[in-house]
């Protein structure tokens, strides 16, 4: 039983079908009829079309899975049953919960991106900035660990402003020690240089304290900036599922095989777990770990590998070609930053099973050259999944 029609849920279906073959009967439960490919939400404010969506029913059918369009309301682990929002119950042998997280606005007076609907139109945002000292400020709130989309909308806004010949100052405020430092110091240095070349102002080790009509105040030190249009990432809350354990934020605690701590035969993967970095590639790696464990338990597949997180990110930068290449060292191995592909297929969410499936469905056989994106890949320190709460992703990882 797989709950959730996001990337973690679909990866679970695909991995289980591959690893356990016809020995498993699969059911997918999700309230929405479609998978929303969230990384491409960054293109919506720029009128580049709505983010990709994929109908779940045919994907499930193709893999021989039953699709139930319902929301999970609770789990009864002792009975091996889930409850759905129509009051019905369904039995499971193994359950994989991939219910994602919920966005919560983090900063009053700011435009929250992303939100449930189109948060802003870039052209309108840039026009409004004319009345606010010609400044647009993109803010990463404290507690957000996946800040890449904020850098993307800042870079794309800068590009749009220069295309339109508008005089707008773009700034980024972030609690990170350096931009995208989670990828390591060399990749971060490459991003810093990219921002400098684009004329994007950067305030690191800082957050926005207040958005006022008269101006913006930053922490620490009540540093005052002039007025600005502000776009901020939201915070995330966990799904808080009745019958399953949750931490203070509502996230489901898992171990390095994606097993829910203290609950027999229940697994969880993706943004809804207590793994601190809420990222699609990592979500699918957790789903793969869960599928391997389940397959092995029913006598299929090799001994399961624990979840070894590798962070892969493709930074959309706009249409300027910037040649960057760097080797970075994460806690668990070498990292790289490059304009060449670092993984295949070259999807924003790198996933063993889901990426090839979605890539196959695309019209063109060969991808466009990666002119507009910077790929970064780094193995994360293994302590990060052994003791997720010890993680401080906003400080630079150690460099060998
Ligand atoms: C703007 C933006 C850009 C991003 N860029 C990248 C990127 O470049 N690379 C990358 O790897 N990641 C990126 N991410 C992160 C990535 O999108 C998420 O980490 C990923 O979507 C998490 O997948 P998930 O399956 O855990 O959750 P979700 O994608 O949130 O899916 C959750 C699913 O569970 C369902 N659900 C919710 N509640 C219930 C319930 N009660 N019962 C049943 N089903 C339920 C939902 O309907 C949904 O189908 C980005 C995210 C955003 C917002």
């Amino acid at each position: 039983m797989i709950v959730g029609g996001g990337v973690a849920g679909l990866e679970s279906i695909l991995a289980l079908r591959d690893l356990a073959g016809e020995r498993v009967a699969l059911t997918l439960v999700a309230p929405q009829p479609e998978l929303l490919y969230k990384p491409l939400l960054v293109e919506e404010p720029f009128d580049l079309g709505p983010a990709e969506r994929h109908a779940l029913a045919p994907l499930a059918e193709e893999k021989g899975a039953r699709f139930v369009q319902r929301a999970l309301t609770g789990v009864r682990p002792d009975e091996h049953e889930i409850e759905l929002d129509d009051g019905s119950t369904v039995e499971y042998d193994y359950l994989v919960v991939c219910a994602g997280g919920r966005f919560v606005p983090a900063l009053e007076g700011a435009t929250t991106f992303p939100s449930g609907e189109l948060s802003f139109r870039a052209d309108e945002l840039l026009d409004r900035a004319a009345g606010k000292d010609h400044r647009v400020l993109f803010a990463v709130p404290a507690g957000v660990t996946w800040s890449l989309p904020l850098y993307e909308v800042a870079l794309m806004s800068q590009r749009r402003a220069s295309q339109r010949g508008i005089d707008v100052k773009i700034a980024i405020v972030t609690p990170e020690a350096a931009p995208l430092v989670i990828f390591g110091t060399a990749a971060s240095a490459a991003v810093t240089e990219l921002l400098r070349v684009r004329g994007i102002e950067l305030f690191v080790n800082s957050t926005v304290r207040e958005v006022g009509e008269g101006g913006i105040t930053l922490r620490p030190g009540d540093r005052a900036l002039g007025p600005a249009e502000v776009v901020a990432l939201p915070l995330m809350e966990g799904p808080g599922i009745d019958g399953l354990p949750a931490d203070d934020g509502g996230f489901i605690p898992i171990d390095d095989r994606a097993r829910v701590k203290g609950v027999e035969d229940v697994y969880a993967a993706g943004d809804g777990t207590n793994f601190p970095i809420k990222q699609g590639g990592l979500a699918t790696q957790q789903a793969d770990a869960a599928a391997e464990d389940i397959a092995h338990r029913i006598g299929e597949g090799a001994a399961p590998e624990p979840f070894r997180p590798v962070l892969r990110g493709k930074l959309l930068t706009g249409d300027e070609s910037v040649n960057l290449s760097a080797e970075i060292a994460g806690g668990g191995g070498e990292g790289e930053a490059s304009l060449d592909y670092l993984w295949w297929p070259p999807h924003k969410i790198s996933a063993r099973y889901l990426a090839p499936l979605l890539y196959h469905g695309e019209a063109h056989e060969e991808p466009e050259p990666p002119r507009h994106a910077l790929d970064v890949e780094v193995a994360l320190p293994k302590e990060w999944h052994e003791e997720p709460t010890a993680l401080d992703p906003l400080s630079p990882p150690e460099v060998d």
Side-chain angles (χ1 to χ4, degrees), residues 3-10 29-32 34-42 56 70-73 98-103 113-114 146 148-149 152 233 236 239 241 269-272 277-283 312-314 348-350:
V3 171
V7 289
L10 280 193
V29 175
Q32 316 294 339
E34 293 172 324
L35 163 86
L36 168 62
Y37 197 76
K38 291 182 182 172
L40 296 184
L41 287 173
V42 297
L56 292 173
R70 286 270 158 222
L72 174 82
T73 52
C98 309
R102 320 279 172 258
F103 287 133
F113 170 82
W146 180 241
L148 183 130
E152 293 181 315
L233 290 178
M236 194 183 277
I241 290 174
D271 285 3
I277 305 168
K278 311 301 179 192
Q279 199 250 7
L282 297 175
R312 299 186 174 101
K314 185 183 288 292
K348 286 273 281 168
I349 295 184
S350 143

Side-chain angles (χ1 to χ4, degrees), residues 2-283:
I2 290 98
V3 171
V7 289
L10 280 193
E11 179 81 2
S12 304
I13 296 260
L14 300 174
L16 277 164
R17 184 55 84 217
D18 181 58
L19 297 170
E22 296 308 312
R23 289 214 48 206
V24 284
L26 298 170
T27 301
L28 174 66
V29 175
Q32 316 294 339
E34 293 172 324
L35 163 86
L36 168 62
Y37 197 76
K38 291 182 182 172
L40 296 184
L41 287 173
V42 297
E43 296 191 329
E44 290 189 344
F46 302 89
D47 305 320
L48 296 171
E52 254 174 67
R53 285 166 171 78
H54 299 269
L56 292 173
L59 281 172
E61 192 184 335
E62 195 184 317
K63 293 293 154 191
R66 189 164 75 101
F67 176 49
V68 178
Q69 199 184 328
R70 286 270 158 222
L72 174 82
T73 52
V75 179
R76 295 182 199 153
D78 291 344
E79 285 88 26
H80 277 56
E81 266 179 12
I82 59 167
E83 300 162 3
L84 301 180
D85 58 353
D86 62 353
S88 64
T89 56
V90 192
E91 289 182 358
Y92 63 81
D93 294 317
Y94 299 98
L95 173 66
V96 189
V97 180
C98 309
R102 320 279 172 258
F103 287 133
V104 198
L107 190 57
E108 206 175 316
T111 300
T112 300
F113 170 82
S115 58
E117 58 230 21
L118 180 64
S119 310
F120 68 95
R121 285 185 190 284
D123 286 331
E124 292 167 12
L125 181 83
L126 295 169
D127 290 342
R128 285 202 303 274
K132 293 197 177 167
D133 210 11
H134 300 272
R135 191 198 290 266
V136 183
L137 200 147
F138 292 88
V140 181
V144 170
T145 52
W146 180 241
S147 58
L148 183 130
L150 201 274
Y151 287 88
E152 293 181 315
V153 286
L155 283 159
M156 292 163 88
S157 297
Q158 183 279 333
R159 174 187 159 230
R160 178 62 64 91
S162 80
Q163 277 174 339
R164 288 181 55 199
I166 312 177
D167 170 28
V168 174
K169 296 182 284 275
I170 308 275
I172 293 175
V173 176
T174 178
E176 295 158 296
L180 296 180
V181 71
I182 200 165
F183 284 107
T185 44
S188 177
V191 177
T192 307
E193 178 59 11
L194 172 62
L195 298 174
R196 192 193 64 75
V197 168
R198 295 283 197 93
I200 296 179
E201 215 179 341
L202 187 61
F203 299 90
V204 293
N205 292 314
S206 306
T207 53
V208 174
R209 179 192 292 276
E210 199 181 348
V211 180
E213 275 304 307
I216 311 296
T217 327
L218 303 188
R219 285 193 188 90
D222 279 341
R223 179 173 182 175
L225 298 180
E229 277 293 319
V230 181
V231 176
L233 290 178
L235 291 170
M236 194 183 277
E237 282 177 354
I241 290 174
D242 202 30
L244 292 184
D247 67 11
D248 290 345
F251 296 101
I252 305 169
I254 55 167
D255 67 11
D256 64 2
R257 295 206 180 142
R259 295 177 292 208
V260 175
K261 288 187 179 164
V263 189
E264 287 271 297
D265 302 329
V266 180
Y267 296 73
D271 285 3
T273 72
N274 68 337
F275 193 77
I277 305 168
K278 311 301 179 192
Q279 199 250 7
L282 297 175

